[in-house]
Structure formats: C-alpha cells, structure tokens
Amino acid sequence: MPARRKPIRVMLIDCRPLVLMGLHDLINAKRPWMEVCGEATTYTRALDLADQLSPDVIFFSFFPDALDPLEVITGLARSAETKVLVLKGLYEAAPVAQAIELGARGIVLAEDPTESIVQAIIKVHRRDIGLDRAWAGGLSGYAASGHIPLKCNVEQEKQAQLTLRERELIRAIVGDPSAKYMSIAVRLGISEHTVHNHLSNIYHKLKLVNRVDLLMYALKHGLTNDDDDPPESSWVELDRTSHQDKTV
C-alpha cells in the first residue's frame, strides 16, 4: 500500500484577522493535502516562526510594520525548501517585481477564485527551483527595461495554442487590468461565464496560475499587439462557432 504523501505545510503572514481566518479555513478544508502550520501578524514574528516551523509555502502580505517587507522576503526566501507566495489585492500597490527578484515564487490575487489560490499553493510547492530562478531573472529584466520579448520555441508552442478569442481576451485584460470580468464580458459581447472559461483555458495553455501571472506574461511576451496573427486551426473555428451560436 503506497505511503500517504505529507501535507503541504503553509504559513500565513498578514495583519488582518479576517484575511487570516479566510485563508486558514480555505487551506485546512483541503486536508490531508495541505494545512496551515502557523500564522504571524508582524514581520518579526514571521521570521521567528519560519525558522521554527520550516514551512513548505508562505503566504506573504505587504502591510505597515517596523521591518522592511522586502528585507523580510529576502530572509524568508533563503531556505530552498520554503516557497514564498505574495498575496496582493487587485487595487493594492505592492512592489511585486522586486519581491520576485528577491526570492518570492509567485503572486496570488486576493480576488482570485478560491480554487485558483489552492492551485497556486500546489504549483509553487512542486515547481522546480531552477525554473523559478530563470523566471525571476526574466521578470527582473522586464521590470528594469519595460519589455523583453522572449524568443523561445517552448513559449511559441504554448502561445500557438491560443485561439483568436483568447488573444482578444488577453488584450482586453492587459488594456484595463482593474476591469471586472463582467465589464470585460460586455465589452467583448460574451457572457461572464464564457470569460471565465476562456481564462481557464488560457491559464492551462500558458502554464499560469492567475490574472497577475497573465498580465506579466502578456507584457513580457508581447501578447498585447493588435496585429497578432494566430495560426488557423480547428480550435479557433470551434471557438468562433460557439460564440456565434450564443449570439444568434
């Protein structure tokens, strides 16, 4: 009989009791796959607790504190076994590019569906450290120069899977990052449910986790140009057909 896999041990850092409670309930509801092993409401306590517990994943939020949050991220990310995920609200200003450069492994949007947050924990826990460092380096360069197109066969193969409608949705999201899904749906003439379906397909094809990941990826890889000419395929035709059926 195969041995049961150990749960992913998650530590939470946030000064807001309601946020801590919500994350605690969400993560512990996924036992035995993952569980909360500790919570900290100050950065000093977070550093001490991380040393004591050696968690697998740390949810990190930016908030006013005596310690510099970026220095705290550097300290938390020193352990190769611990992966730092930054939790950010859609309208919160946070130095996410610097956080990735200093060792954070990803960004989770607080407004994302709960299942997306759970998947972010799983993916960042399993992801190879070499791939993370390469991605962090690319994001660091992007933050410094504004835009760095990546000429990579792997990325081109992933992007070739995108349908015309999916590319249109990506441009709409990048054009107005703070827009609600309903607003995007009205602009594109589709339902909000269809927007979510397209986004799910986009995340799967590009190996992304959430909307913040998509924004960074699209800007970095030039998916915002209106003159994109994706290859024709049965997938594109199926997508167009399904849209026409809904609008008749």
Side-chain angles (χ1 to χ4, degrees), residues 32-219:
W33 310 113
M34 61 182 64
E35 64 184 13
V36 174
C37 65
E39 300 176 8
T41 56
T42 68
Y43 290 146
T44 300
R45 174 61 177 159
L47 290 170
D48 291 341
L49 203 58
D51 284 339
Q52 295 172 25
L53 301 176
S54 298
D56 299 311
V57 176
I58 294 177
F59 260 102
F60 183 96
S61 294
F62 286 91
F63 54 82
D65 190 87
L67 299 183
D68 182 343
L70 292 176
E71 291 182 2
V72 175
I73 287 178
T74 301
L76 295 172
R78 285 197 183 103
S79 170
E81 288 74 32
T82 299
K83 314 292 178 64
V84 177
L85 270 174
V86 173
L87 181 67
K88 176 190 176 301
L90 185 61
Y91 301 103
E92 291 177 358
V96 293
Q98 295 94 316
I100 295 294
E101 184 178 1
L102 293 172
R105 301 303 182 92
I107 309 213
V108 174
L109 207 58
E111 290 80 1
D112 276 339
T114 55
E115 190 56 35
S116 294
I117 295 175
V118 169
Q119 288 302 313
I121 295 172
I122 295 172
K123 289 183 179 181
V124 80
H125 176 60
R126 294 178 178 173
R127 188 176 293 172
D128 179 76
I129 190 170
L131 294 175
D132 283 330
R133 291 305 179 191
W135 182 70
L139 181 57
S140 174
Y142 157 74
S145 65
H147 175 70
I148 300 178
L150 182 64
K151 302 301 182 183
C152 173
N153 288 336
V154 174
E155 296 305 324
Q156 290 172 354
E157 288 175 5
K158 288 195 294 187
Q159 293 166 24
Q161 300 176 62
L162 295 172
T163 67
L164 193 62
R165 198 56 160 166
E166 288 165 356
R167 288 171 179 263
E168 186 180 6
L169 175 58
I170 290 172
R171 288 195 293 270
I173 289 175
V174 174
D176 188 359
S178 63
K180 295 186 180 299
Y181 292 126
M182 177 57 76
S183 174
I184 294 173
V186 171
R187 192 185 319 161
L188 297 181
I190 57 180
S191 69
E192 186 176 3
H193 177 71
T194 302
V195 169
H196 285 288
N197 283 344
H198 282 324
L199 275 176
S200 178
N201 291 334
I202 291 169
Y203 295 156
H204 176 71
K205 292 174 181 179
L206 300 181
K207 310 300 182 187
L208 304 176
V209 174
N210 55 37
R211 187 164 169 171
V212 173
D213 278 352
L214 177 59
L215 286 169
M216 291 180 176
Y217 185 97
L219 290 170

